[in-house]
Amino acid sequence: MTTKLLALLLLVSTARTAETKPDFRHHVIDQALPQNERLQGDYGLTALADIDRDGDLDFVLGGRQPKPARLYWFEFRRADRWVRHDVGTDFQSDVGLAALDVDGDTWTDLVCSGVWFRNPGNPRDGKWERIEFASNAGGAHDIIAVDIDADGRKDIVMMGDERTSLNSLSWFRIPTDPRQLWERHSIGPAVHGAITPAGASDINGDGHVDIVRGDTWFENRGGKGLEWITHKNIPMGRKGPFGICMRTAIADMDGNGKKAIVMCDADITDSKMVILRTPDGRGEAWTKQELEQSFTYGSLHALAVADFTGDGKLDIVANEQEELLPAGRTNPRWIMWENLGDGKFAERILLDQRLGGHELQAGDVDGDGDIDIVSKPWGCLSWNGLGGKIHVDFLENLLRAPKQSSKTDSPKASPTK
């Protein structure tokens, strides 16, 4: 084979790779969740975690309509087979939830607004215990788990606006005995939404975990979470119908070891997706890159940052709600911004089936080494792709072939309702 022919083959191969688009297969996990007569479900509270310790990721979901508020987890069996299980009621959150091992027994528990649900160790059949950890702490829109005070244990950061009993941005230290009340510390005033899914990291390079809250970041002076310095210098924060709301993730988007803030508007039409960088590395000033969009977006109340394409670069995913779409549109879309390198991103439409999303989660659900996506709507509209039903959706990443599952359906497990 001549050198010229080898060069031509290499050129063709490179061109094909460059033209390869992300490929996902859509599965409906559930389309029979409760909703009221106005098609409302108020479904927030999402997480991907291995609830039953079988080696794959399960999906957690909570809804407030109709009463009482109910928390569920969906057991992953196969891409097209999930089983719904009950966790409990009266979770007190607006949208917020964090999944982590609270009591150190190696089973994943679920932290909501002022209460946590203890994994019984046999979560398919056992009863989850609801335990209160704080009073006057209901209504959290955002909850994240992160080690604020550098003691090697995760703490809980919660935020709820002035319409909630929480009415603050605060963090809670989990005690040795988590059945006792948790120690509460104030960070600053709240906005409607801002700190999830990953709005906590070291912004100014001092080694301490700071918090990004929309147009403001709070410096963790001394690294113990007891003194917070307010820096209101982030160029984001439009007010929508519910006040200032956005989704935030801090990550190295350029592969240069420097963290950037990925942020999108939420609960507002004409939402934007941006990357904010601090050239001085100290958070004293910010540059703002607004990512490409080929149409006017609705509300992007969801955000995930991960390497979805397997090329070693971090991509960005969000989806539009069925509510708060621009006038005349009834096609909420799921969108990826593929990281092409050198600060360039390409908008890709992953799903366009008249199914909106809210608080999506990303992770390797099926254990095949690529990153999948799970989501659901807050509420639904009558024109959606499933005739006005609340839906839970799984986008299976087809980058790699899934592992063959050895699991069989348990006779004790009820099918998805």
Side-chain angles (χ1 to χ4, degrees), residues 68-101:
R70 297 174 178 88
L71 194 61
Y72 310 96
W73 71 279
F74 289 84
E75 177 192 354
F76 174 81
R77 296 288 185 82
R78 301 185 306 270
D80 58 355
R81 171 68 172 151
W82 299 67
V83 179
R84 189 209 302 172
H85 304 277
D86 292 332
V87 173
T89 61
D90 193 20
F91 47 68
Q92 298 189 166
S93 289
D94 179 5
V95 175
L97 176 139
L100 71 157
D101 178 9

Short mmCIF file of all heavy atoms in Angstrom, two decimals, residues 68-101:
data_model
loop_
_atom_site.label_atom_id
_atom_site.label_comp_id
_atom_site.label_asym_id
_atom_site.label_seq_id
_atom_site.Cartn_x
_atom_site.Cartn_y
_atom_site.Cartn_z
N PRO A 68 -50.77 12.52 49.37
CA PRO A 68 -49.56 13.11 49.94
C PRO A 68 -48.39 13.04 48.97
O PRO A 68 -48.38 12.23 48.04
CB PRO A 68 -49.30 12.24 51.17
CG PRO A 68 -49.80 10.88 50.76
CD PRO A 68 -51.02 11.15 49.91
N ALA A 69 -47.38 13.90 49.21
CA ALA A 69 -46.17 13.85 48.42
C ALA A 69 -45.53 12.47 48.55
O ALA A 69 -45.40 11.94 49.65
CB ALA A 69 -45.20 14.94 48.88
N ARG A 70 -45.13 11.88 47.41
CA ARG A 70 -44.61 10.52 47.40
C ARG A 70 -43.21 10.46 46.80
O ARG A 70 -42.92 11.14 45.81
CB ARG A 70 -45.53 9.60 46.59
CG ARG A 70 -46.94 9.45 47.14
CD ARG A 70 -47.78 8.64 46.15
NE ARG A 70 -49.13 8.42 46.64
CZ ARG A 70 -50.16 9.25 46.44
NH1 ARG A 70 -49.95 10.38 45.78
NH2 ARG A 70 -51.35 8.96 46.91
N LEU A 71 -42.36 9.62 47.38
CA LEU A 71 -41.01 9.39 46.88
C LEU A 71 -40.91 7.96 46.39
O LEU A 71 -41.36 7.02 47.08
CB LEU A 71 -40.01 9.65 48.01
CG LEU A 71 -38.53 9.78 47.64
CD1 LEU A 71 -38.31 10.95 46.69
CD2 LEU A 71 -37.70 9.97 48.91
N TYR A 72 -40.34 7.78 45.18
CA TYR A 72 -40.21 6.47 44.57
C TYR A 72 -38.75 6.22 44.18
O TYR A 72 -37.97 7.15 44.00
CB TYR A 72 -41.02 6.37 43.27
CG TYR A 72 -42.46 6.80 43.35
CD1 TYR A 72 -42.84 8.09 42.97
CD2 TYR A 72 -43.46 5.92 43.75
CE1 TYR A 72 -44.17 8.48 43.01
CE2 TYR A 72 -44.79 6.30 43.79
CZ TYR A 72 -45.14 7.60 43.42
OH TYR A 72 -46.45 8.00 43.45
N TRP A 73 -38.41 4.94 43.99
CA TRP A 73 -37.18 4.62 43.25
C TRP A 73 -37.51 3.57 42.21
O TRP A 73 -38.35 2.70 42.41
CB TRP A 73 -36.05 4.18 44.18
CG TRP A 73 -36.16 2.84 44.83
CD1 TRP A 73 -36.88 2.53 45.94
CD2 TRP A 73 -35.51 1.62 44.43
NE1 TRP A 73 -36.73 1.20 46.27
CE2 TRP A 73 -35.89 0.62 45.37
CE3 TRP A 73 -34.62 1.28 43.41
CZ2 TRP A 73 -35.43 -0.70 45.29
CZ3 TRP A 73 -34.17 -0.03 43.32
CH2 TRP A 73 -34.57 -1.00 44.26
N PHE A 74 -36.86 3.72 41.06
CA PHE A 74 -37.07 2.81 39.93
C PHE A 74 -35.85 1.91 39.80
O PHE A 74 -34.75 2.36 39.52
CB PHE A 74 -37.27 3.61 38.63
CG PHE A 74 -38.58 4.34 38.57
CD1 PHE A 74 -38.73 5.59 39.15
CD2 PHE A 74 -39.67 3.78 37.92
CE1 PHE A 74 -39.93 6.27 39.09
CE2 PHE A 74 -40.88 4.46 37.85
CZ PHE A 74 -41.02 5.71 38.45
N GLU A 75 -36.07 0.63 39.97
CA GLU A 75 -35.00 -0.36 39.89
C GLU A 75 -34.69 -0.66 38.43
O GLU A 75 -35.56 -1.06 37.66
CB GLU A 75 -35.43 -1.63 40.62
CG GLU A 75 -34.43 -2.76 40.54
CD GLU A 75 -35.03 -4.08 41.02
OE1 GLU A 75 -36.18 -4.09 41.52
OE2 GLU A 75 -34.34 -5.11 40.87
N PHE A 76 -33.43 -0.49 38.06
CA PHE A 76 -33.01 -0.81 36.70
C PHE A 76 -32.83 -2.32 36.56
O PHE A 76 -32.10 -2.95 37.32
CB PHE A 76 -31.70 -0.11 36.36
CG PHE A 76 -31.13 -0.50 35.03
CD1 PHE A 76 -31.61 0.07 33.86
CD2 PHE A 76 -30.13 -1.47 34.92
CE1 PHE A 76 -31.10 -0.30 32.62
CE2 PHE A 76 -29.61 -1.85 33.69
CZ PHE A 76 -30.09 -1.26 32.54
N ARG A 77 -33.52 -2.91 35.59
CA ARG A 77 -33.32 -4.31 35.23
C ARG A 77 -32.65 -4.42 33.87
O ARG A 77 -31.66 -5.11 33.70
CB ARG A 77 -34.67 -5.05 35.20
CG ARG A 77 -35.38 -5.11 36.56
CD ARG A 77 -34.68 -6.07 37.52
NE ARG A 77 -35.40 -6.22 38.77
CZ ARG A 77 -36.44 -7.02 38.97
NH1 ARG A 77 -36.92 -7.74 37.96
NH2 ARG A 77 -37.02 -7.09 40.15
N ARG A 78 -33.25 -3.78 32.90
CA ARG A 78 -32.71 -3.66 31.54
C ARG A 78 -33.10 -2.29 31.03
O ARG A 78 -33.90 -1.60 31.66
CB ARG A 78 -33.30 -4.73 30.61
CG ARG A 78 -33.08 -6.16 31.00
CD ARG A 78 -33.61 -7.11 29.91
NE ARG A 78 -35.02 -6.86 29.58
CZ ARG A 78 -36.04 -7.44 30.19
NH1 ARG A 78 -35.83 -8.32 31.16
NH2 ARG A 78 -37.28 -7.18 29.82
N ALA A 79 -32.57 -1.92 29.89
CA ALA A 79 -32.90 -0.61 29.32
C ALA A 79 -34.40 -0.43 29.16
O ALA A 79 -34.94 0.67 29.35
CB ALA A 79 -32.20 -0.43 27.98
N ASP A 80 -35.09 -1.51 28.82
CA ASP A 80 -36.54 -1.44 28.61
C ASP A 80 -37.32 -2.07 29.75
O ASP A 80 -38.52 -2.38 29.60
CB ASP A 80 -36.91 -2.11 27.29
CG ASP A 80 -36.48 -3.58 27.24
OD1 ASP A 80 -35.80 -4.04 28.20
OD2 ASP A 80 -36.80 -4.26 26.25
N ARG A 81 -36.70 -2.23 30.91
CA ARG A 81 -37.38 -2.88 32.02
C ARG A 81 -36.94 -2.27 33.35
O ARG A 81 -35.81 -2.45 33.79
CB ARG A 81 -37.08 -4.37 32.01
CG ARG A 81 -37.54 -5.16 33.22
CD ARG A 81 -39.04 -5.26 33.32
NE ARG A 81 -39.45 -6.18 34.37
CZ ARG A 81 -40.58 -6.07 35.04
NH1 ARG A 81 -41.42 -5.10 34.77
NH2 ARG A 81 -40.89 -6.95 35.97
N TRP A 82 -37.79 -1.47 33.95
CA TRP A 82 -37.56 -0.85 35.24
C TRP A 82 -38.74 -1.19 36.15
O TRP A 82 -39.88 -1.32 35.68
CB TRP A 82 -37.46 0.67 35.11
CG TRP A 82 -36.34 1.18 34.24
CD1 TRP A 82 -36.21 1.02 32.88
CD2 TRP A 82 -35.21 1.95 34.66
NE1 TRP A 82 -35.07 1.65 32.43
CE2 TRP A 82 -34.44 2.23 33.50
CE3 TRP A 82 -34.78 2.44 35.88
CZ2 TRP A 82 -33.26 2.98 33.55
CZ3 TRP A 82 -33.61 3.20 35.93
CH2 TRP A 82 -32.87 3.45 34.78
N VAL A 83 -38.48 -1.31 37.44
CA VAL A 83 -39.54 -1.65 38.40
C VAL A 83 -39.66 -0.52 39.41
O VAL A 83 -38.67 -0.11 40.03
CB VAL A 83 -39.23 -2.97 39.12
CG1 VAL A 83 -40.33 -3.30 40.14
CG2 VAL A 83 -39.11 -4.10 38.11
N ARG A 84 -40.87 -0.02 39.58
CA ARG A 84 -41.11 1.08 40.51
C ARG A 84 -41.36 0.56 41.92
O ARG A 84 -42.13 -0.38 42.12
CB ARG A 84 -42.31 1.91 40.06
CG ARG A 84 -42.49 3.20 40.86
CD ARG A 84 -43.94 3.65 40.95
NE ARG A 84 -44.56 3.87 39.66
CZ ARG A 84 -45.87 4.12 39.54
NH1 ARG A 84 -46.65 4.18 40.61
NH2 ARG A 84 -46.38 4.28 38.36
N HIS A 85 -40.70 1.20 42.90
CA HIS A 85 -40.88 0.86 44.31
C HIS A 85 -41.17 2.14 45.10
O HIS A 85 -40.67 3.22 44.76
CB HIS A 85 -39.63 0.20 44.90
CG HIS A 85 -39.16 -1.02 44.17
ND1 HIS A 85 -39.70 -2.28 44.41
CD2 HIS A 85 -38.21 -1.20 43.22
CE1 HIS A 85 -39.08 -3.16 43.64
NE2 HIS A 85 -38.18 -2.54 42.91
N ASP A 86 -41.92 2.02 46.17
CA ASP A 86 -42.20 3.15 47.05
C ASP A 86 -41.07 3.34 48.05
O ASP A 86 -40.48 2.37 48.55
CB ASP A 86 -43.50 2.92 47.82
CG ASP A 86 -44.72 2.95 46.91
OD1 ASP A 86 -44.67 3.62 45.87
OD2 ASP A 86 -45.73 2.30 47.24
N VAL A 87 -40.78 4.60 48.38
CA VAL A 87 -39.86 4.93 49.47
C VAL A 87 -40.64 5.43 50.67
O VAL A 87 -40.53 4.91 51.78
CB VAL A 87 -38.83 5.98 49.03
CG1 VAL A 87 -37.99 6.45 50.22
CG2 VAL A 87 -37.92 5.41 47.93
N GLY A 88 -41.43 6.50 50.48
CA GLY A 88 -42.19 7.07 51.58
C GLY A 88 -42.91 8.32 51.15
O GLY A 88 -42.92 8.68 49.97
N THR A 89 -43.51 9.00 52.11
CA THR A 89 -44.29 10.20 51.83
C THR A 89 -43.80 11.35 52.71
O THR A 89 -43.01 11.17 53.63
CB THR A 89 -45.78 9.96 52.10
OG1 THR A 89 -45.96 9.63 53.49
CG2 THR A 89 -46.34 8.84 51.24
N ASP A 90 -44.30 12.55 52.38
CA ASP A 90 -44.03 13.76 53.16
C ASP A 90 -42.54 14.08 53.20
O ASP A 90 -41.94 14.22 54.26
CB ASP A 90 -44.59 13.62 54.59
CG ASP A 90 -44.62 14.96 55.32
OD1 ASP A 90 -44.58 16.01 54.65
OD2 ASP A 90 -44.64 14.95 56.57
N PHE A 91 -41.95 14.25 52.02
CA PHE A 91 -40.52 14.51 51.93
C PHE A 91 -40.17 15.99 52.13
O PHE A 91 -38.99 16.33 52.27
CB PHE A 91 -39.95 14.01 50.61
CG PHE A 91 -40.74 14.40 49.39
CD1 PHE A 91 -40.83 15.71 48.96
CD2 PHE A 91 -41.40 13.43 48.64
CE1 PHE A 91 -41.54 16.06 47.82
CE2 PHE A 91 -42.12 13.77 47.49
CZ PHE A 91 -42.19 15.09 47.08
N GLN A 92 -41.13 16.87 52.10
CA GLN A 92 -41.00 18.30 52.43
C GLN A 92 -40.22 19.13 51.41
O GLN A 92 -40.17 20.36 51.53
CB GLN A 92 -40.36 18.50 53.81
CG GLN A 92 -41.15 17.92 54.96
CD GLN A 92 -40.61 18.31 56.33
OE1 GLN A 92 -41.28 18.15 57.34
NE2 GLN A 92 -39.39 18.82 56.39
N SER A 93 -39.60 18.53 50.42
CA SER A 93 -38.82 19.28 49.44
C SER A 93 -39.73 19.92 48.39
O SER A 93 -40.83 19.42 48.11
CB SER A 93 -37.82 18.37 48.73
OG SER A 93 -36.77 17.98 49.57
N ASP A 94 -39.23 20.98 47.80
CA ASP A 94 -39.81 21.51 46.58
C ASP A 94 -39.27 20.67 45.41
O ASP A 94 -40.00 19.94 44.76
CB ASP A 94 -39.44 22.98 46.43
CG ASP A 94 -39.99 23.62 45.17
OD1 ASP A 94 -40.75 22.94 44.44
OD2 ASP A 94 -39.67 24.79 44.90
N VAL A 95 -37.97 20.75 45.18
CA VAL A 95 -37.31 20.00 44.11
C VAL A 95 -36.12 19.19 44.63
O VAL A 95 -35.76 18.16 44.07
CB VAL A 95 -36.84 20.97 43.00
CG1 VAL A 95 -36.03 20.25 41.92
CG2 VAL A 95 -38.03 21.69 42.37
N GLY A 96 -35.51 19.63 45.72
CA GLY A 96 -34.20 19.12 46.12
C GLY A 96 -34.17 17.73 46.73
O GLY A 96 -35.07 17.33 47.47
N LEU A 97 -33.08 17.00 46.44
CA LEU A 97 -32.80 15.68 47.01
C LEU A 97 -31.33 15.37 46.80
O LEU A 97 -30.74 15.75 45.79
CB LEU A 97 -33.66 14.60 46.36
CG LEU A 97 -33.41 13.16 46.81
CD1 LEU A 97 -34.71 12.40 46.99
CD2 LEU A 97 -32.52 12.42 45.81
N ALA A 98 -30.73 14.67 47.78
CA ALA A 98 -29.37 14.16 47.62
C ALA A 98 -29.35 12.70 48.03
O ALA A 98 -29.97 12.32 49.03
CB ALA A 98 -28.38 14.96 48.47
N ALA A 99 -28.63 11.87 47.28
CA ALA A 99 -28.51 10.45 47.57
C ALA A 99 -27.11 10.19 48.10
O ALA A 99 -26.12 10.45 47.40
CB ALA A 99 -28.78 9.63 46.32
N LEU A 100 -26.99 9.66 49.32
CA LEU A 100 -25.70 9.34 49.92
C LEU A 100 -25.92 8.43 51.11
O LEU A 100 -27.06 8.30 51.61
CB LEU A 100 -24.96 10.60 50.36
CG LEU A 100 -25.49 11.37 51.57
CD1 LEU A 100 -24.38 12.21 52.20
CD2 LEU A 100 -26.66 12.26 51.18
N ASP A 101 -24.85 7.81 51.57
CA ASP A 101 -24.92 6.95 52.76
C ASP A 101 -24.81 7.84 53.99
O ASP A 101 -23.73 8.28 54.37
CB ASP A 101 -23.78 5.93 52.72
CG ASP A 101 -23.75 5.02 53.94
OD1 ASP A 101 -24.71 5.05 54.74
OD2 ASP A 101 -22.76 4.28 54.10
#
